[in-house]
Amino acid sequence: MKKKWKRIGIAVILLSCITAITGCGDKKAPGEMTDAVQTITVGRPGLDIKIASIIIASELGYYTEEGVNVKFETISNLADGMTAVSQGKLDVLPFGVIPSCTFVSKGSDVVVFGGTISEGSEGIVLNENIDKYKTVGDFKNKKIGCYRMETGHMVIKGFLRENGFDVNSDVEFVYLDSQQSIVEAVKKGEVDLGFVNSGYGYIAEKSGLAIAFHASDFSADFPCCRQTTNRSTLTDKHRPLVKFTIANLRAYYTLEHNKEKSIDALVAYCGQDAQYVESVIYGSDTYDAAMKISLDPNKNKVCDFYEVMKSNGDIDADTKFKMEDHVDTSIYKEALEELIERDKNSEFYVSLKNEFEKNNQ
């Protein structure tokens, strides 16, 4: 019996030693999970590659490496997606700035905490009209095809209004149900020009139309898709949101410095060919990409756009809710600072930090 207990004692000691050795060898690298994995639910209405950084972070396993579980959920449209965010049924909607501003104006406690892209809006026309829109006066008495959740047409509406247009009589905005409907309306002459985004100008050109201008030619650096959450998620999942943003910033670095790897990841996600992906994200000899990837929350521009929507009559001009109370800059700032501390590719992240300080005063 004594020998039996002696053997058990020796086994326990050996097991403890093995455990200790294993534990000592299991040190966490910077950015690896040191606490329980939490899930971030992200809404997407389809396979649009404007969320390129999120796609690359997912496809290349950066979320797993950072210790956050990201679950994608399909939404039917941006209004439904923002409703789900406002009700706490969805953590993040990385599409649209119009729904974020609209919901804030009505008292919903949603919060912009990051960006997806800036600019991105293209004016499409018949080929014979490609050189027709160079100055503000060229828009006088024109019919403009657009859809309500597209940012560029609201920016141009504001630009025209600020330059003396009565946007209810000097120009006509014709609201259609999809980008393809806008393309068809331009082809049939039902509208003089149309606004599309998400690289849809590339498709419009392939169908025989021309891109006359980018909305940014008249109003530069306007915010397009933002990353929006709700106040409870912002508080309860602060650290997971930081991890989510770190992974996205790493993906942004990959996007900027490894074109081939990024294109492969985006092709695998969306099913489009490499030429389409390269053209829409990077541009090509024949197509000037309108979208700019930007993860910065850009509080200054978001608040400016909110005021444009108020002045345009797109949201209640007398709303008591202020957009500056619904933009959080701490998540993005913490993510950048952590990446800079890792001292890997820190020069890239320092440059983003410098931009951040200008954009979020």
Side-chain angles (χ1 to χ4, degrees):
M1 181 63 74
K2 287 183 179 180
K3 289 182 179 180
K4 179 180 178 181
W5 285 111
K6 185 176 182 180
R7 286 196 299 272
I8 292 173
I10 292 171
V12 169
I13 292 169
L14 286 172
L15 181 60
S16 299
C17 291
I18 291 169
T19 302
I21 292 169
T22 304
C24 290
D26 192 28
K27 293 180 179 178
K28 300 291 183 184
E32 286 191 18
M33 179 189 62
T34 55
D35 49 6
V37 174
Q38 284 185 271
T39 297
I40 298 291
T41 55
V42 178
R44 58 182 182 185
L47 299 179
D48 193 328
I49 61 172
K50 68 169 62 173
I51 57 168
S53 293
I54 290 174
I55 296 165
I56 292 169
S58 178
E59 292 289 323
L60 300 184
Y62 294 166
Y63 294 133
T64 300
E65 292 174 8
E66 296 301 333
V68 61
N69 180 44
V70 174
K71 179 183 177 183
F72 293 102
E73 295 188 3
T74 301
I75 56 174
S76 57
N77 56 63
L78 299 189
D80 286 351
M82 191 56 63
T83 298
V85 168
S86 68
Q87 295 175 347
K89 298 176 181 178
L90 191 66
D91 292 325
V92 177
L93 183 65
F95 290 90
V97 66
I98 293 170
S100 305
C101 291
T102 301
F103 272 63
V104 166
S105 74
K106 294 179 178 179
S108 179
D109 202 9
V110 296
V111 184
V112 170
F113 70 94
T116 301
I117 64 166
S118 62
E119 302 184 2
S121 183
E122 302 163 287
I124 58 170
V125 296
L126 296 172
N127 276 286
E128 58 262 35
N129 295 325
I130 191 170
D131 295 319
K132 199 167 185 177
Y133 298 94
K134 301 296 183 184
T135 68
V136 63
D138 297 330
F139 292 88
K140 191 73 176 283
N141 298 322
K142 295 297 186 291
K143 282 188 174 182
I144 301 176
C146 51
Y147 64 101
R148 293 193 182 279
M149 290 299 174
E150 197 279 321
T151 310
H153 90 274
M154 287 195 179
V155 169
I156 292 299
K157 185 191 287 186
F159 170 77
L160 296 177
R161 179 180 43 74
E162 290 164 4
N163 282 275
F165 271 53
D166 182 332
V167 294
N168 295 311
S169 60
D170 291 335
V171 65
E172 181 181 357
F173 288 91
V174 180
Y175 290 97
L176 300 169
D177 62 1
S178 69
Q179 300 200 88
Q180 185 56 41
S181 295
I182 294 169
V183 167
E184 293 304 319
V186 173
K187 284 183 176 181
K188 294 175 182 177
E190 295 171 349
V191 296
D192 296 297
L193 68 143
F195 281 101
V196 295
N197 67 9
S198 303
Y200 208 86
Y202 176 86
I203 295 171
E205 280 190 328
K206 294 293 183 183
S207 73
L209 296 180
I211 298 170
F213 59 88
H214 291 170
S216 59
D217 295 338
F218 298 94
S219 181
D221 195 33
F222 61 86
C224 193
C225 291
R226 301 290 92 185
Q227 295 187 35
T228 304
T229 187
N230 58 72
R231 190 75 62 180
S232 295
T233 298
L234 188 72
T235 302
D236 299 340
K237 294 187 177 181
H238 182 94
R239 183 58 188 165
L241 285 173
V242 172
K243 293 178 179 182
F244 173 72
T245 304
I246 287 173
N248 294 339
L249 283 163
R250 288 178 56 198
Y252 183 27
Y253 178 87
T254 301
L255 193 75
E256 291 287 299
H257 295 87
N258 195 327
K259 186 174 178 180
E260 183 178 356
K261 191 174 186 178
S262 298
I263 290 173
D264 287 346
L266 293 169
V267 167
Y269 170 84
C270 72
Q272 298 277 6
D273 60 41
Q275 183 180 5
Y276 168 84
V277 169
E278 181 175 8
S279 297
V280 169
I281 297 298
Y282 296 100
S284 67
D285 293 339
T286 58
Y287 178 75
D288 183 14
M291 295 191 301
K292 293 182 179 179
I293 304 300
S294 176
L295 305 186
D296 194 315
N298 203 335
K299 181 176 182 177
N300 299 347
K301 290 291 185 178
V302 170
C303 291
D304 287 348
F305 181 72
Y306 187 76
E307 295 304 315
V308 167
M309 288 187 69
K310 286 169 64 178
S311 298
N312 283 350
D314 295 307
I315 56 178
D316 184 2
D318 296 322
T319 178
K320 65 179 181 179
F321 302 101
K322 298 179 180 180
M323 194 66 207
E324 52 262 42
D325 296 331
H326 295 268
V327 181
D328 175 87
T329 61
S330 67
I331 300 289
Y332 185 75
K333 182 181 180 182
E334 286 179 39
L336 277 179
E337 289 175 345
E338 186 164 329
L339 284 165
I340 292 168
E341 286 177 7
R342 293 183 190 180
D343 201 30
K344 182 179 181 181
N345 307 319
S346 60
E347 185 176 343
F348 176 75
Y349 300 117
V350 167
S351 69
L352 295 182
K353 180 82 180 301
N354 292 336
E355 289 180 13
F356 166 80
E357 290 171 353
K358 294 177 184 176
N359 294 337
N360 298 274
Q361 297 174 353

